[in-house]
């Protein structure tokens, strides 16, 4: 690529939803992230919880309008030729703030410049500009080809439904309710042998309860294989809804492994090891099941981590007995059993 031009691409990304330690919920969002010179642009915004306007759960007409806007075939939605690059994953508008930039045509290039954090109709570049990001010059042909591919690639939209298999219907019902609350469709079944292949193809993951016998798991897997549907299989670690939601969120992650921000989690003894590929905020939560089968939750860590592997102390009381650690960062979630 000649000097002065950056490469432009798109790749699946996810803002992991979940049931939080304080009882709140965080919405699940699938979107296409912008890949600049081979690296997600979002990674340059270390502590930003946001998604691009190319989200899979918006109506097709709005999705097409967003793509046409980035192609400069529609008027800029904000003053001074500014477009939303990343916005709040929970709502629309500028009230929560958004990363915006000017997008313009310059000869055989499309330029993204003057990035800023914007909360009002007019961006204040002096006060809220991202002075270390951009400008980026993309070859117009490459840029257009990547975006136009989205308009013809409906089949690549993520499957945001989960099939729950297990004998404990009450437990599965609670899990299904939690998944639906964060925006993931969930159905409960005990036999899929008569389910049409077209319907099986709408699922992105199958979650088995801990009491599901091997013959039942094998039959379900055979049905999906016969239908030619490739799904992720989740084996529940414990009957703890937030933990199971985190496992399913990880299974639904379609982003390329080499472009993930949170890439490693182990927990053992008195510490956890967390690996991140770029600076980001990471939260660790411990879940354990006590002798009376009650769930205990403890926040362990919430802070910024630089790229690399980090050792984080574990509170002995929080991880005694059968316990698990969930790590969350923007774009991903990992689960690990605490090993003695």
């Amino acid at each position: 690529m000649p000097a002065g031009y950056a490469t432009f691409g798109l790749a699946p990304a996810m803002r992991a939803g979940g049931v939080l330690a304080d009882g709140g919920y965080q919405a699940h969002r699938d979107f296409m992230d912008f890949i600049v010179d081979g690296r997600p642009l979002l990674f340059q915004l270390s502590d930003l919880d946001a998604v691009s306007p190319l989200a899979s759960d918006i109506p097709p007409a709005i999705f097409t309008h967003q793509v046409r806007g980035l192609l400069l075939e529609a008027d800029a939605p904000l003053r001074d030729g500014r477009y939303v690059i990343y916005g709040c994953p929970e709502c629309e508008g500028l009230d929560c703030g958004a990363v915006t930039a000017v997008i313009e045509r310059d000869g055989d290039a499309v330029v993204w410049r003057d990035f800023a954090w914007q909360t009002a109709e007019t961006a204040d570049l002096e006060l809220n500009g991202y002075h270390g990001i951009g400008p980026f010059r993309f070859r117009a042909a490459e840029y257009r080809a990547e975006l136009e591919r989205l308009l013809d690639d409906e089949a690549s939209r993520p499957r945001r439904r989960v099939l729950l298999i297990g004998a404990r219907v009450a437990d599965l019902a609670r899990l299904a309710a939690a998944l639906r609350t964060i925006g993931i469709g969930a159905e409960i079944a005990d036999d899929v042998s008569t389910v049409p292949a077209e319907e099986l193809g709408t699922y992105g993951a199958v979650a088995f309860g801990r009491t599901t016998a091997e013959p039942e798991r094998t039959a379900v897997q055979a049905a999906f294989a016969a239908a030619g549907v490739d799904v992720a299989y989740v084996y529940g670690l414990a009957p703890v809804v937030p933990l199971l939601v985190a496992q399913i969120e990880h299974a639904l992650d379609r982003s390329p492994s080499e472009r993930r921000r949170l890439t490693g989690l182990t927990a053992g003894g008195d510490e956890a090891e967390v690996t991140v590929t770029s600076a980001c905020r990471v939260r660790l939560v411990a879940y354990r099941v006590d002798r009376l089968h009650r769930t205990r939750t403890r926040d362990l860590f919430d802070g910024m981590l630089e790229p690399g592997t980090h050792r984080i102390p574990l509170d002995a009381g929080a991880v005694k007995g059968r316990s698990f650690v969930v790590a969350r960062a923007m774009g991903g979630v990992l689960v690990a059993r605490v090993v003695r």
Side-chain angles (χ1 to χ4, degrees):
M1 184 66 64
Y5 287 91
T7 61
F8 179 84
L10 297 163
M14 178 184 75
R15 190 267 195 156
V19 181
L20 306 181
D22 61 3
Y25 292 89
Q26 180 172 288
H28 173 99
R29 301 295 302 278
D30 293 294
F31 63 99
M32 299 300 291
D33 198 6
F34 306 111
I35 308 301
V36 179
D37 285 336
R39 186 167 180 261
L41 180 59
L42 190 56
F43 283 17
Q44 296 191 42
L45 307 165
S46 59
D47 193 27
L48 184 65
D49 182 13
V51 300
S52 83
L54 305 177
S56 66
D57 56 344
I58 62 176
I62 297 177
F63 185 89
T64 298
H65 181 74
Q66 297 286 8
V67 174
R68 294 299 183 195
L70 294 173
L71 287 169
L72 302 180
E73 295 175 358
D75 293 337
L78 303 173
R79 294 180 183 175
D80 304 319
R82 302 190 70 82
Y83 293 78
V84 173
I85 306 300
Y86 296 107
C88 175
E90 300 283 350
C91 63
E92 299 179 2
L94 295 175
D95 292 344
C96 295
V99 177
T100 67
V102 174
I103 301 180
E104 60 187 9
R105 187 70 182 257
D106 181 19
D108 67 347
V110 175
V111 179
W112 287 19
R113 62 173 175 82
D114 296 340
F115 286 80
W117 177 252
Q118 189 167 344
T119 57
E121 287 300 314
T122 302
D124 188 334
L125 295 179
E126 187 66 29
L127 183 63
N128 297 316
Y130 286 103
H131 303 294
I133 299 179
F136 301 116
R137 292 177 58 84
F138 306 116
R139 284 199 174 278
E142 175 188 64
Y143 179 86
R144 172 170 288 277
E146 280 291 300
L147 287 167
E148 287 185 337
R149 179 172 55 84
L150 295 179
L151 302 178
D152 302 319
D153 205 11
E154 183 69 24
S156 70
R157 296 289 185 94
R159 291 166 285 161
R160 302 172 62 244
R161 297 176 71 207
V162 179
L163 185 64
L164 308 179
I165 306 289
R168 297 180 176 176
V169 177
D171 290 343
L172 296 181
R174 285 191 290 270
L175 175 58
L179 289 168
R180 292 167 188 153
T181 298
I182 66 173
I184 297 175
E187 285 77 41
I188 300 171
D190 55 7
D191 180 16
V192 299
S193 60
T194 60
V195 178
E198 298 78 23
E199 184 174 345
L200 293 180
T202 66
Y203 292 104
V206 176
F208 294 110
R210 296 177 65 248
T211 59
T212 307
E214 180 63 31
E216 294 173 83
R217 295 197 297 266
T218 300
V220 170
Q221 292 168 344
F224 275 90
V229 179
D230 182 21
V231 296
Y233 293 101
V234 178
Y235 302 92
L237 291 173
V240 178
V241 169
L243 182 70
L244 295 170
V245 169
Q247 284 187 263
I248 291 169
E249 283 284 309
H250 175 66
L252 290 173
D253 191 351
R254 298 189 316 134
S255 60
S257 57
E258 67 274 11
R259 289 179 180 151
R260 295 183 185 180
R261 176 171 275 172
L262 181 61
T263 58
L265 173 67
T266 60
D270 58 358
E271 65 181 18
E273 285 196 357
V274 180
T275 303
V276 296
T277 59
S278 65
C280 60
R281 178 188 177 191
V282 175
R283 288 166 289 171
L284 291 185
V285 179
Y287 297 93
R288 71 179 182 89
V289 181
D290 67 16
R291 295 177 181 178
L292 298 178
H293 304 287
R294 296 172 300 189
T295 300
R296 302 295 187 181
T297 305
R298 182 80 63 85
D299 290 321
L300 299 174
F301 176 81
D302 186 347
M304 292 293 297
L305 295 179
E306 295 298 318
T309 298
H310 304 265
R311 294 182 175 181
I312 299 174
L314 297 178
D315 185 309
V319 295
K320 64 182 180 181
R322 187 158 60 107
S323 55
F324 311 87
V325 173
V326 174
R328 289 185 176 278
M330 170 53 202
V333 56
L334 292 176
V335 179
R337 184 194 300 271
V338 177
V339 179
R340 305 298 168 188

